[in-house]
């Protein structure tokens, strides 16, 4: 039987802790046998879970021999990781154990160095902090989960369900995973990614950026057909200088930033106005509604109509 060790760190988020316990604990194989044995492990006997305290049955040594270790989210992602926990996770990885994080659990997992050089995700609220704290990790804030084979990470809250169902499908196939999804009242595959849930009044602007006036101008002119030369001319620099400085201060190119700002504004308009998609496409600078629909779905994972039905 596949053994799941759920690591309860101090300030563990109860929802993230309960998700793998419930999903894996209720999984049944076609002959009725349980698919997983689940155990909760902690560095200390009692763990602070915010509004209550939990008592773990196993210590940190419970990670040994597990087929999968799951690191749920914690309330303070900047909290230092205890050396004993770090060493235990590294030892598990060295033994070939599959390791997955849920939500802000990506932060303690990142602190072990096991995510270095890999693509990873976390709750969209913490994505910028993860990228700044661990530049060696390729942070993707737009997906529900990332599967690197041995190391997996998920976005926030309900995305932990998506990750658990994905791992069940990897372990036992789609039929068993579909049964587990029905028990969780979840689709086996959700349409779209985390990007559809990200809320920004505008695309993020780094504090103190010398390009803040330029970014404000871009936000105020989303409907215009702006090219790189137009943006450079407004900034009063060459296109080459614009590209270099813009990437240094924002982490993206001017056109990538403009694209994100347009999609964010489109999300806002879909949520707050009854305007038809064709009108919104023009308002945010897409000359063709077809191009807008394609770009919107590529960015958020869902169509404008689906987004409006979900969030309006």
């Amino acid at each position: 039987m596949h053994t799941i060790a759920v690591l309860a760190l101090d300030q563990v988020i109860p929802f993230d802790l309960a998700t793998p316990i419930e999903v894996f604990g209720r999984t049944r194989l076609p002959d009725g046998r349980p698919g997983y044995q689940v155990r909760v492990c902690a560095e200390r006997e009692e763990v602070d879970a915010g509004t209550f305290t939990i008592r773990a049955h196993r210590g940190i040594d419970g990670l040994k021999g597990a087929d999968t270790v799951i690191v749920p989210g914690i309330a303070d992602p900047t909290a230092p990781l205890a050396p004993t926990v770090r060493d235990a996770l590294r030892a598990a990885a060295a033994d070939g154990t599959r390791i997955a994080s849920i939500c802000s659990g990506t932060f303690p997992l990142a602190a072990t160095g096991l995510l270095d050089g890999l693509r990873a995700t976390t709750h969209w609220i913490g994505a910028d902090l993860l990228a700044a704290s661990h530049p060696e990790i390729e942070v993707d804030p737009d997906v529900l989960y990332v599967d690197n084979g041995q190391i997996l990470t998920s976005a926030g809250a309900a995305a932990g369900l998506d990750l658990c169902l994905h791992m069940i499908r990897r372990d036992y196939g789609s039929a068993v995973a579909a049964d587990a999804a029905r028990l969780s009242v979840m689709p086996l595959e959700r349409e779209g990614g985390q990007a559809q849930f990200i809320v920004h009044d505008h695309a993020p602007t780094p504090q103190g950026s010398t390009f803040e006036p330029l970014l404000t101008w871009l936000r105020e002119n989303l409907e215009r057909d702006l090219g790189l030369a137009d943006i450079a001319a407004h900034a009063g620099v060459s296109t080459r200088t614009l590209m270099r400085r813009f990437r240094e201060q924002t982490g993206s190119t001017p056109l990538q930033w403009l694209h994100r700002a347009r999609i964010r504004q489109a999300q806002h308009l879909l949520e707050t106005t009854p305007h038809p998609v064709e009108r919104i496409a023009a308002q945010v600078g897409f000359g063709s509604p077809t191009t807008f629909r394609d770009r919107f779905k590529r960015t958020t994972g869902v169509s404008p109509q689906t987004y409006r039905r979900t969030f309006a």
Side-chain angles (χ1 to χ4, degrees):
M1 185 186 301
H2 192 113
T3 300
I4 303 283
V6 184
L7 177 58
L9 298 174
D10 210 33
Q11 299 186 48
V12 67
I13 297 173
F15 187 96
D16 296 347
L17 176 68
T19 294
I21 295 172
E22 288 296 303
V23 175
F24 290 112
R26 295 179 182 275
T27 299
R28 293 294 179 268
L29 303 183
D31 61 5
R33 290 181 297 116
Y36 299 91
Q37 179 186 61
V38 182
R39 59 196 189 208
V40 178
C41 309
E43 184 187 11
R44 294 188 296 274
E45 187 175 351
E46 289 192 349
V47 178
D48 177 13
T51 55
F52 56 90
T53 300
I54 66 169
R55 186 181 295 271
H57 290 166
R58 301 288 296 270
I60 202 71
D61 61 330
L63 302 187
K64 296 178 181 177
D67 299 291
T68 297
V69 172
I70 296 181
V71 186
I74 53 176
D76 180 7
T78 65
L81 185 66
T84 53
V85 177
R86 179 199 63 207
D87 294 345
L89 288 171
R90 287 178 175 173
D95 288 340
T97 302
R98 181 173 64 185
I99 302 178
S101 66
I102 295 175
C103 192
S104 57
T106 304
F107 284 83
L109 184 55
T112 67
L114 294 174
L115 288 173
D116 289 3
L118 298 179
R119 182 166 157 261
T121 193
T122 187
H123 193 294
W124 62 268
I125 287 178
D128 287 344
L129 177 60
L130 180 66
S133 305
H134 299 278
E136 63 279 0
I137 299 172
E138 181 189 347
V139 180
D140 187 344
D142 295 337
V143 295
L144 294 174
Y145 58 83
V146 175
D147 182 350
N148 290 295
Q150 184 185 6
I151 309 293
L152 304 90
T153 55
S154 84
L161 283 165
D162 295 281
L163 178 62
C164 290
L165 293 172
H166 170 71
M167 288 192 285
I168 293 170
R169 183 167 50 189
R170 269 184 48 176
D171 295 338
Y172 294 114
S174 295
V176 173
D179 284 339
R182 281 191 286 271
L183 283 173
S184 300
V185 196
M186 276 279 293
L188 183 54
E189 292 187 5
R190 276 199 287 166
E191 185 178 7
Q194 187 178 197
Q196 61 187 302
F197 304 104
I198 298 173
V199 177
H200 289 303
D201 291 335
H202 50 74
T205 304
Q207 292 185 345
S209 168
T210 58
F211 275 148
E212 283 185 31
L214 174 64
L215 301 182
T216 298
W217 177 77
L218 288 173
R219 285 194 296 270
E220 292 173 349
N221 290 274
L222 295 178
E223 78 285 354
R224 292 180 56 186
D225 182 16
L226 295 173
L228 191 60
D230 302 307
I231 300 171
H234 184 83
V237 296
S238 67
T239 56
R240 183 175 180 179
T241 299
L242 174 72
M243 290 288 288
R244 176 174 56 81
R245 292 182 181 174
F246 203 96
R247 185 174 289 280
E248 287 173 353
Q249 296 189 33
T250 71
S252 67
T253 69
L255 295 182
Q256 286 171 340
W257 193 96
L258 182 61
H259 168 71
R260 287 183 62 197
R262 284 172 167 160
I263 296 300
R264 297 287 182 259
Q265 179 64 9
Q267 288 175 296
H268 174 71
L269 293 172
L270 287 166
E271 293 172 21
T272 60
T273 75
H275 299 168
V277 169
E278 292 76 11
R279 178 175 172 182
I280 291 175
Q283 284 178 285
V284 297
F286 288 92
S288 162
T290 301
T291 301
F292 167 66
R293 290 187 176 95
D294 178 64
R295 290 288 182 87
F296 190 93
K297 186 164 187 176
R298 275 194 284 164
T299 301
T300 68
V302 295
S303 68
Q305 293 87 345
T306 298
Y307 184 89
R308 170 170 272 165
R309 285 197 301 268
T310 303
F311 295 103

